[in-house]
Amino acid sequence: MFDVHVHAAPDVLARIGYDDQIGESYAAAGYSGFVLKAHHESTVGRASALSRSSGLEVVGGVALNRAVGGINPAAVLSALSTGGRVVWFPTADAHTQESAHLPRLGDLDERLDRSVLAVPPVLPAEDEAVKNIGLVLDLIAEHDAVLCTGHLSGAECRWLLEQALDRGIGRFLLTHPSYTVPDMAVPEIAELADRGAHVEITAYQLLHQPGMTASRLAAVARAAGPRLVLASDAGQPDSPQPPMALNQLIDTLAGQGLDPGLLRDAAGDTPRRLVLP
């Protein structure tokens, strides 16, 4: 088993445990490893240290929010050149996050402005930032890293996939596309999966997303087919330990009639092959 999406302390939001404590929970559950995610800093150094001390395959990356300079090629080059494997496009500072009134760093201090991040077609194609977006995509391709769509809109996810295909990026993950952001419809998810995108479903959606149901998650899983990736997105104090949360998601989807073997692959071999070189 390999969890492609988990949060740990230290963080600006409360978390259920520190890196080493989260690692111990995965080791006890028999997982081979996991991807450590943070919205406001690179996790590459933290993941490397934990991997060395625990023997687990702990992978880090960088989320392109304002704390790292936004969609910043320098932050991406630094992360990928020091062993990072995953680049998330904007999450907490995506324009969708602000529109949906979901948590942002600026919530901690009103002196921070509420500016947001986007890519085309929301961002005009002639905007100066598009050049940096292109360089970020080139760096992901050159390092054979994983491009995750973050919390961007469905139209932006589609644009990113087109750009990824043009550049030969072979590791592309739609970040929880049926979550509140980006709230993509099942037929659109199926189309992008058919074009090569992996599709993430998270235990966080099952546990915390308003209006989400097991049957709707099952429909997304069927749309994803062999490109399904199951993850916990856990680490919140009101969630189970991440391995338990992911196992709960697997059991719930199995209860909806999905093949347990396919589900185990979606939480094991599939994400592991997606992330590891």
mmCIF file of all heavy atoms in Angstrom, residues 142-184:
data_model
loop_
_atom_site.group_PDB
_atom_site.id
_atom_site.type_symbol
_atom_site.label_atom_id
_atom_site.label_comp_id
_atom_site.label_asym_id
_atom_site.label_seq_id
_atom_site.Cartn_x
_atom_site.Cartn_y
_atom_site.Cartn_z
ATOM 1 N N GLU A 142 11.112 17.382 -17.830
ATOM 2 C CA GLU A 142 12.538 17.046 -17.841
ATOM 3 C C GLU A 142 12.931 16.177 -16.649
ATOM 4 O O GLU A 142 13.852 15.357 -16.754
ATOM 5 C CB GLU A 142 13.364 18.337 -17.857
ATOM 6 C CG GLU A 142 13.253 19.090 -19.179
ATOM 7 C CD GLU A 142 13.649 20.555 -19.060
ATOM 8 O OE1 GLU A 142 14.208 20.950 -18.006
ATOM 9 O OE2 GLU A 142 13.393 21.310 -20.014
ATOM 10 N N HIS A 143 12.257 16.326 -15.527
ATOM 11 C CA HIS A 143 12.570 15.526 -14.328
ATOM 12 C C HIS A 143 11.672 14.306 -14.200
ATOM 13 O O HIS A 143 11.775 13.570 -13.205
ATOM 14 C CB HIS A 143 12.454 16.400 -13.083
ATOM 15 C CG HIS A 143 13.575 17.379 -12.915
ATOM 16 N ND1 HIS A 143 13.603 18.597 -13.576
ATOM 17 C CD2 HIS A 143 14.710 17.329 -12.170
ATOM 18 C CE1 HIS A 143 14.705 19.246 -13.242
ATOM 19 N NE2 HIS A 143 15.392 18.505 -12.397
ATOM 20 N N ASP A 144 10.807 14.075 -15.173
ATOM 21 C CA ASP A 144 9.876 12.945 -15.142
ATOM 22 C C ASP A 144 9.126 12.902 -13.813
ATOM 23 O O ASP A 144 8.972 11.851 -13.187
ATOM 24 C CB ASP A 144 10.620 11.623 -15.373
ATOM 25 C CG ASP A 144 9.671 10.456 -15.625
ATOM 26 O OD1 ASP A 144 8.553 10.681 -16.112
ATOM 27 O OD2 ASP A 144 10.059 9.307 -15.300
ATOM 28 N N ALA A 145 8.665 14.076 -13.385
ATOM 29 C CA ALA A 145 7.960 14.211 -12.113
ATOM 30 C C ALA A 145 6.456 14.094 -12.327
ATOM 31 O O ALA A 145 5.966 13.961 -13.455
ATOM 32 C CB ALA A 145 8.310 15.550 -11.460
ATOM 33 N N VAL A 146 5.719 14.145 -11.224
ATOM 34 C CA VAL A 146 4.264 14.018 -11.263
ATOM 35 C C VAL A 146 3.643 15.410 -11.253
ATOM 36 O O VAL A 146 3.945 16.225 -10.376
ATOM 37 C CB VAL A 146 3.744 13.223 -10.051
ATOM 38 C CG1 VAL A 146 2.237 12.989 -10.178
ATOM 39 C CG2 VAL A 146 4.482 11.904 -9.899
ATOM 40 N N LEU A 147 2.771 15.660 -12.215
ATOM 41 C CA LEU A 147 2.002 16.905 -12.252
ATOM 42 C C LEU A 147 0.641 16.623 -11.627
ATOM 43 O O LEU A 147 -0.124 15.803 -12.125
ATOM 44 C CB LEU A 147 1.838 17.380 -13.694
ATOM 45 C CG LEU A 147 1.265 18.781 -13.946
ATOM 46 C CD1 LEU A 147 1.489 19.179 -15.407
ATOM 47 C CD2 LEU A 147 -0.220 18.895 -13.621
ATOM 48 N N CYS A 148 0.358 17.318 -10.529
ATOM 49 C CA CYS A 148 -0.960 17.240 -9.892
ATOM 50 C C CYS A 148 -1.684 18.559 -10.111
ATOM 51 O O CYS A 148 -1.080 19.632 -10.016
ATOM 52 C CB CYS A 148 -0.824 16.971 -8.393
ATOM 53 S SG CYS A 148 -0.104 15.381 -7.999
ATOM 54 N N THR A 149 -2.968 18.486 -10.359
ATOM 55 C CA THR A 149 -3.709 19.673 -10.782
ATOM 56 C C THR A 149 -4.112 20.588 -9.638
ATOM 57 O O THR A 149 -4.596 21.699 -9.882
ATOM 58 C CB THR A 149 -4.969 19.265 -11.557
ATOM 59 O OG1 THR A 149 -5.735 18.334 -10.766
ATOM 60 C CG2 THR A 149 -4.580 18.598 -12.871
ATOM 61 N N GLY A 150 -3.944 20.162 -8.386
ATOM 62 C CA GLY A 150 -4.268 21.014 -7.256
ATOM 63 C C GLY A 150 -5.762 21.310 -7.194
ATOM 64 O O GLY A 150 -6.591 20.450 -7.471
ATOM 65 N N HIS A 151 -6.096 22.554 -6.843
ATOM 66 C CA HIS A 151 -7.496 22.942 -6.666
ATOM 67 C C HIS A 151 -8.006 23.810 -7.808
ATOM 68 O O HIS A 151 -8.975 24.529 -7.658
ATOM 69 C CB HIS A 151 -7.664 23.672 -5.335
ATOM 70 C CG HIS A 151 -7.430 22.809 -4.146
ATOM 71 N ND1 HIS A 151 -7.640 23.242 -2.852
ATOM 72 C CD2 HIS A 151 -7.000 21.525 -4.037
ATOM 73 C CE1 HIS A 151 -7.337 22.268 -2.003
ATOM 74 N NE2 HIS A 151 -6.943 21.228 -2.708
ATOM 75 N N LEU A 152 -7.336 23.748 -8.954
ATOM 76 C CA LEU A 152 -7.752 24.543 -10.098
ATOM 77 C C LEU A 152 -9.073 24.026 -10.666
ATOM 78 O O LEU A 152 -9.511 22.912 -10.376
ATOM 79 C CB LEU A 152 -6.662 24.529 -11.168
ATOM 80 C CG LEU A 152 -5.337 25.198 -10.761
ATOM 81 C CD1 LEU A 152 -4.297 25.003 -11.851
ATOM 82 C CD2 LEU A 152 -5.545 26.689 -10.469
ATOM 83 N N SER A 153 -9.700 24.829 -11.498
ATOM 84 C CA SER A 153 -11.004 24.492 -12.064
ATOM 85 C C SER A 153 -10.883 23.382 -13.098
ATOM 86 O O SER A 153 -9.791 23.057 -13.590
ATOM 87 C CB SER A 153 -11.611 25.727 -12.718
ATOM 88 O OG SER A 153 -10.856 26.103 -13.863
ATOM 89 N N GLY A 154 -12.041 22.831 -13.476
ATOM 90 C CA GLY A 154 -12.050 21.787 -14.480
ATOM 91 C C GLY A 154 -11.460 22.237 -15.802
ATOM 92 O O GLY A 154 -10.718 21.487 -16.454
ATOM 93 N N ALA A 155 -11.777 23.443 -16.216
ATOM 94 C CA ALA A 155 -11.234 23.956 -17.479
ATOM 95 C C ALA A 155 -9.718 24.075 -17.414
ATOM 96 O O ALA A 155 -9.015 23.789 -18.393
ATOM 97 C CB ALA A 155 -11.861 25.304 -17.800
ATOM 98 N N GLU A 156 -9.201 24.485 -16.274
ATOM 99 C CA GLU A 156 -7.746 24.596 -16.113
ATOM 100 C C GLU A 156 -7.094 23.218 -16.069
ATOM 101 O O GLU A 156 -5.985 23.026 -16.600
ATOM 102 C CB GLU A 156 -7.428 25.381 -14.845
ATOM 103 C CG GLU A 156 -7.792 26.862 -14.943
ATOM 104 C CD GLU A 156 -7.791 27.536 -13.588
ATOM 105 O OE1 GLU A 156 -8.658 27.174 -12.741
ATOM 106 O OE2 GLU A 156 -6.943 28.417 -13.364
ATOM 107 N N CYS A 157 -7.762 22.246 -15.440
ATOM 108 C CA CYS A 157 -7.242 20.875 -15.432
ATOM 109 C C CYS A 157 -7.132 20.343 -16.856
ATOM 110 O O CYS A 157 -6.148 19.689 -17.222
ATOM 111 C CB CYS A 157 -8.140 19.966 -14.602
ATOM 112 S SG CYS A 157 -8.138 20.303 -12.832
ATOM 113 N N ARG A 158 -8.158 20.613 -17.660
ATOM 114 C CA ARG A 158 -8.138 20.182 -19.058
ATOM 115 C C ARG A 158 -6.971 20.846 -19.803
ATOM 116 O O ARG A 158 -6.251 20.186 -20.564
ATOM 117 C CB ARG A 158 -9.463 20.538 -19.725
ATOM 118 C CG ARG A 158 -9.566 20.140 -21.190
ATOM 119 C CD ARG A 158 -10.893 20.618 -21.778
ATOM 120 N NE ARG A 158 -12.004 19.949 -21.128
ATOM 121 C CZ ARG A 158 -12.467 18.769 -21.512
ATOM 122 N NH1 ARG A 158 -11.919 18.143 -22.541
ATOM 123 N NH2 ARG A 158 -13.494 18.218 -20.890
ATOM 124 N N TRP A 159 -6.770 22.143 -19.583
ATOM 125 C CA TRP A 159 -5.666 22.856 -20.232
ATOM 126 C C TRP A 159 -4.324 22.262 -19.804
ATOM 127 O O TRP A 159 -3.435 22.051 -20.646
ATOM 128 C CB TRP A 159 -5.732 24.340 -19.883
ATOM 129 C CG TRP A 159 -4.676 25.176 -20.568
ATOM 130 C CD1 TRP A 159 -4.747 25.722 -21.813
ATOM 131 C CD2 TRP A 159 -3.398 25.537 -20.031
ATOM 132 N NE1 TRP A 159 -3.587 26.411 -22.085
ATOM 133 C CE2 TRP A 159 -2.743 26.323 -21.021
ATOM 134 C CE3 TRP A 159 -2.741 25.286 -18.834
ATOM 135 C CZ2 TRP A 159 -1.465 26.842 -20.828
ATOM 136 C CZ3 TRP A 159 -1.462 25.806 -18.634
ATOM 137 C CH2 TRP A 159 -0.835 26.572 -19.632
ATOM 138 N N LEU A 160 -4.179 21.968 -18.510
ATOM 139 C CA LEU A 160 -2.927 21.388 -18.028
ATOM 140 C C LEU A 160 -2.668 20.024 -18.656
ATOM 141 O O LEU A 160 -1.524 19.701 -19.009
ATOM 142 C CB LEU A 160 -2.943 21.269 -16.500
ATOM 143 C CG LEU A 160 -2.698 22.549 -15.719
ATOM 144 C CD1 LEU A 160 -2.911 22.306 -14.227
ATOM 145 C CD2 LEU A 160 -1.281 23.089 -15.963
ATOM 146 N N LEU A 161 -3.713 19.221 -18.810
ATOM 147 C CA LEU A 161 -3.515 17.913 -19.435
ATOM 148 C C LEU A 161 -3.064 18.072 -20.882
ATOM 149 O O LEU A 161 -2.165 17.355 -21.342
ATOM 150 C CB LEU A 161 -4.803 17.091 -19.358
ATOM 151 C CG LEU A 161 -4.727 15.699 -20.001
ATOM 152 C CD1 LEU A 161 -3.632 14.852 -19.367
ATOM 153 C CD2 LEU A 161 -6.069 14.988 -19.910
ATOM 154 N N GLU A 162 -3.674 18.997 -21.602
ATOM 155 C CA GLU A 162 -3.264 19.224 -22.982
ATOM 156 C C GLU A 162 -1.801 19.655 -23.058
ATOM 157 O O GLU A 162 -1.034 19.174 -23.912
ATOM 158 C CB GLU A 162 -4.172 20.275 -23.622
ATOM 159 C CG GLU A 162 -5.598 19.787 -23.824
ATOM 160 C CD GLU A 162 -6.571 20.896 -24.166
ATOM 161 O OE1 GLU A 162 -6.162 22.089 -24.108
ATOM 162 O OE2 GLU A 162 -7.736 20.590 -24.483
ATOM 163 N N GLN A 163 -1.406 20.551 -22.156
ATOM 164 C CA GLN A 163 -0.015 20.989 -22.119
ATOM 165 C C GLN A 163 0.912 19.841 -21.749
ATOM 166 O O GLN A 163 2.018 19.704 -22.296
ATOM 167 C CB GLN A 163 0.142 22.133 -21.116
ATOM 168 C CG GLN A 163 -0.607 23.396 -21.469
ATOM 169 C CD GLN A 163 -0.116 24.020 -22.749
ATOM 170 O OE1 GLN A 163 1.080 24.222 -22.947
ATOM 171 N NE2 GLN A 163 -1.035 24.329 -23.651
ATOM 172 N N ALA A 164 0.486 19.010 -20.805
ATOM 173 C CA ALA A 164 1.297 17.867 -20.387
ATOM 174 C C ALA A 164 1.493 16.886 -21.537
ATOM 175 O O ALA A 164 2.611 16.393 -21.771
ATOM 176 C CB ALA A 164 0.637 17.175 -19.192
ATOM 177 N N LEU A 165 0.432 16.599 -22.262
ATOM 178 C CA LEU A 165 0.535 15.671 -23.387
ATOM 179 C C LEU A 165 1.457 16.225 -24.463
ATOM 180 O O LEU A 165 2.255 15.481 -25.054
ATOM 181 C CB LEU A 165 -0.857 15.390 -23.952
ATOM 182 C CG LEU A 165 -1.809 14.613 -23.029
ATOM 183 C CD1 LEU A 165 -3.206 14.560 -23.631
ATOM 184 C CD2 LEU A 165 -1.286 13.214 -22.756
ATOM 185 N N ASP A 166 1.367 17.520 -24.703
ATOM 186 C CA ASP A 166 2.240 18.143 -25.709
ATOM 187 C C ASP A 166 3.710 18.039 -25.325
ATOM 188 O O ASP A 166 4.572 17.949 -26.204
ATOM 189 C CB ASP A 166 1.869 19.613 -25.887
ATOM 190 C CG ASP A 166 0.568 19.809 -26.655
ATOM 191 O OD1 ASP A 166 0.085 18.837 -27.268
ATOM 192 O OD2 ASP A 166 0.042 20.941 -26.631
ATOM 193 N N ARG A 167 4.002 18.049 -24.019
ATOM 194 C CA ARG A 167 5.387 18.022 -23.543
ATOM 195 C C ARG A 167 5.878 16.624 -23.191
ATOM 196 O O ARG A 167 7.017 16.458 -22.766
ATOM 197 C CB ARG A 167 5.522 18.932 -22.303
ATOM 198 C CG ARG A 167 5.438 20.414 -22.614
ATOM 199 C CD ARG A 167 5.345 21.222 -21.336
ATOM 200 N NE ARG A 167 5.584 22.648 -21.566
ATOM 201 C CZ ARG A 167 4.683 23.493 -22.039
ATOM 202 N NH1 ARG A 167 3.469 23.055 -22.336
ATOM 203 N NH2 ARG A 167 4.973 24.772 -22.206
ATOM 204 N N GLY A 168 5.038 15.639 -23.330
ATOM 205 C CA GLY A 168 5.450 14.279 -23.000
ATOM 206 C C GLY A 168 5.475 13.984 -21.507
ATOM 207 O O GLY A 168 6.166 13.057 -21.072
ATOM 208 N N ILE A 169 4.725 14.757 -20.707
ATOM 209 C CA ILE A 169 4.625 14.466 -19.276
ATOM 210 C C ILE A 169 3.750 13.222 -19.121
ATOM 211 O O ILE A 169 2.572 13.221 -19.487
ATOM 212 C CB ILE A 169 4.021 15.661 -18.508
ATOM 213 C CG1 ILE A 169 4.981 16.857 -18.580
ATOM 214 C CG2 ILE A 169 3.727 15.283 -17.050
ATOM 215 C CD1 ILE A 169 4.399 18.148 -18.002
ATOM 216 N N GLY A 170 4.329 12.158 -18.583
ATOM 217 C CA GLY A 170 3.622 10.893 -18.494
ATOM 218 C C GLY A 170 2.996 10.618 -17.143
ATOM 219 O O GLY A 170 2.311 9.604 -16.972
ATOM 220 N N ARG A 171 3.242 11.494 -16.171
ATOM 221 C CA ARG A 171 2.729 11.284 -14.814
ATOM 222 C C ARG A 171 1.810 12.465 -14.472
ATOM 223 O O ARG A 171 2.284 13.539 -14.112
ATOM 224 C CB ARG A 171 3.884 11.186 -13.817
ATOM 225 C CG ARG A 171 4.916 10.098 -14.157
ATOM 226 C CD ARG A 171 6.106 10.162 -13.209
ATOM 227 N NE ARG A 171 7.214 9.327 -13.608
ATOM 228 C CZ ARG A 171 7.451 8.096 -13.149
ATOM 229 N NH1 ARG A 171 6.627 7.565 -12.258
ATOM 230 N NH2 ARG A 171 8.496 7.408 -13.551
ATOM 231 N N PHE A 172 0.518 12.251 -14.609
ATOM 232 C CA PHE A 172 -0.463 13.335 -14.472
ATOM 233 C C PHE A 172 -1.591 12.844 -13.580
ATOM 234 O O PHE A 172 -2.217 11.816 -13.851
ATOM 235 C CB PHE A 172 -1.011 13.714 -15.851
ATOM 236 C CG PHE A 172 -1.891 14.934 -15.864
ATOM 237 C CD1 PHE A 172 -1.392 16.164 -16.254
ATOM 238 C CD2 PHE A 172 -3.229 14.851 -15.502
ATOM 239 C CE1 PHE A 172 -2.205 17.297 -16.281
ATOM 240 C CE2 PHE A 172 -4.048 15.967 -15.520
ATOM 241 C CZ PHE A 172 -3.533 17.198 -15.913
ATOM 242 N N LEU A 173 -1.852 13.590 -12.508
ATOM 243 C CA LEU A 173 -2.879 13.196 -11.546
ATOM 244 C C LEU A 173 -3.885 14.322 -11.348
ATOM 245 O O LEU A 173 -3.521 15.432 -10.948
ATOM 246 C CB LEU A 173 -2.241 12.847 -10.199
ATOM 247 C CG LEU A 173 -3.193 12.418 -9.077
ATOM 248 C CD1 LEU A 173 -3.941 11.142 -9.449
ATOM 249 C CD2 LEU A 173 -2.430 12.231 -7.764
ATOM 250 N N LEU A 174 -5.140 14.027 -11.634
ATOM 251 C CA LEU A 174 -6.225 14.945 -11.283
ATOM 252 C C LEU A 174 -6.423 14.887 -9.776
ATOM 253 O O LEU A 174 -6.814 13.851 -9.237
ATOM 254 C CB LEU A 174 -7.518 14.543 -11.986
ATOM 255 C CG LEU A 174 -7.602 14.752 -13.496
ATOM 256 C CD1 LEU A 174 -8.853 14.078 -14.033
ATOM 257 C CD2 LEU A 174 -7.582 16.228 -13.847
ATOM 258 N N THR A 175 -6.143 15.983 -9.093
ATOM 259 C CA THR A 175 -6.271 16.022 -7.640
ATOM 260 C C THR A 175 -7.745 16.057 -7.255
ATOM 261 O O THR A 175 -8.457 16.995 -7.617
ATOM 262 C CB THR A 175 -5.559 17.274 -7.079
ATOM 263 O OG1 THR A 175 -4.211 17.307 -7.556
ATOM 264 C CG2 THR A 175 -5.562 17.264 -5.562
ATOM 265 N N HIS A 176 -8.186 15.010 -6.558
ATOM 266 C CA HIS A 176 -9.588 14.854 -6.125
ATOM 267 C C HIS A 176 -10.576 15.661 -6.986
ATOM 268 O O HIS A 176 -11.210 16.615 -6.507
ATOM 269 C CB HIS A 176 -9.763 15.181 -4.646
ATOM 270 C CG HIS A 176 -9.151 16.461 -4.148
ATOM 271 N ND1 HIS A 176 -9.396 17.699 -4.710
ATOM 272 C CD2 HIS A 176 -8.331 16.694 -3.113
ATOM 273 C CE1 HIS A 176 -8.743 18.628 -4.055
ATOM 274 N NE2 HIS A 176 -8.086 18.050 -3.073
ATOM 275 N N PRO A 177 -10.742 15.300 -8.270
ATOM 276 C CA PRO A 177 -11.550 16.132 -9.172
ATOM 277 C C PRO A 177 -13.019 16.229 -8.779
ATOM 278 O O PRO A 177 -13.706 17.167 -9.211
ATOM 279 C CB PRO A 177 -11.388 15.434 -10.530
ATOM 280 C CG PRO A 177 -11.028 14.026 -10.193
ATOM 281 C CD PRO A 177 -10.189 14.127 -8.956
ATOM 282 N N SER A 178 -13.526 15.298 -7.970
ATOM 283 C CA SER A 178 -14.923 15.372 -7.554
ATOM 284 C C SER A 178 -15.104 16.083 -6.213
ATOM 285 O O SER A 178 -16.227 16.166 -5.703
ATOM 286 C CB SER A 178 -15.529 13.964 -7.470
ATOM 287 O OG SER A 178 -14.758 13.118 -6.625
ATOM 288 N N TYR A 179 -14.019 16.628 -5.666
ATOM 289 C CA TYR A 179 -14.104 17.405 -4.428
ATOM 290 C C TYR A 179 -14.750 18.770 -4.725
ATOM 291 O O TYR A 179 -14.933 19.158 -5.878
ATOM 292 C CB TYR A 179 -12.706 17.571 -3.829
ATOM 293 C CG TYR A 179 -12.642 18.376 -2.552
ATOM 294 C CD1 TYR A 179 -13.407 18.032 -1.440
ATOM 295 C CD2 TYR A 179 -11.821 19.501 -2.456
ATOM 296 C CE1 TYR A 179 -13.359 18.773 -0.275
ATOM 297 C CE2 TYR A 179 -11.759 20.242 -1.285
ATOM 298 C CZ TYR A 179 -12.535 19.879 -0.208
ATOM 299 O OH TYR A 179 -12.495 20.628 0.940
ATOM 300 N N THR A 180 -15.062 19.505 -3.686
ATOM 301 C CA THR A 180 -15.680 20.834 -3.797
ATOM 302 C C THR A 180 -14.955 21.705 -4.814
ATOM 303 O O THR A 180 -15.585 22.453 -5.574
ATOM 304 C CB THR A 180 -15.689 21.522 -2.425
ATOM 305 O OG1 THR A 180 -16.296 20.640 -1.468
ATOM 306 C CG2 THR A 180 -16.430 22.837 -2.465
ATOM 307 N N VAL A 181 -13.645 21.651 -4.800
ATOM 308 C CA VAL A 181 -12.831 22.254 -5.853
ATOM 309 C C VAL A 181 -11.929 21.148 -6.421
ATOM 310 O O VAL A 181 -11.223 20.500 -5.668
ATOM 311 C CB VAL A 181 -11.987 23.434 -5.316
ATOM 312 C CG1 VAL A 181 -12.846 24.653 -5.086
ATOM 313 C CG2 VAL A 181 -11.243 23.080 -4.026
ATOM 314 N N PRO A 182 -12.095 20.849 -7.724
ATOM 315 C CA PRO A 182 -12.764 21.605 -8.788
ATOM 316 C C PRO A 182 -14.208 21.210 -9.086
ATOM 317 O O PRO A 182 -14.818 21.790 -9.975
ATOM 318 C CB PRO A 182 -11.889 21.298 -9.995
ATOM 319 C CG PRO A 182 -11.434 19.896 -9.774
ATOM 320 C CD PRO A 182 -11.220 19.786 -8.279
ATOM 321 N N ASP A 183 -14.752 20.210 -8.428
ATOM 322 C CA ASP A 183 -16.162 19.813 -8.626
ATOM 323 C C ASP A 183 -16.439 19.446 -10.081
ATOM 324 O O ASP A 183 -17.396 19.928 -10.695
ATOM 325 C CB ASP A 183 -17.101 20.924 -8.161
ATOM 326 C CG ASP A 183 -18.550 20.471 -8.059
ATOM 327 O OD1 ASP A 183 -18.773 19.266 -7.859
ATOM 328 O OD2 ASP A 183 -19.448 21.318 -8.183
ATOM 329 N N MET A 184 -15.627 18.549 -10.619
ATOM 330 C CA MET A 184 -15.807 18.108 -12.002
ATOM 331 C C MET A 184 -16.882 17.033 -12.080
ATOM 332 O O MET A 184 -17.033 16.203 -11.180
ATOM 333 C CB MET A 184 -14.484 17.577 -12.564
ATOM 334 C CG MET A 184 -13.417 18.647 -12.706
ATOM 335 S SD MET A 184 -11.789 17.986 -13.151
ATOM 336 C CE MET A 184 -12.130 17.336 -14.778
#
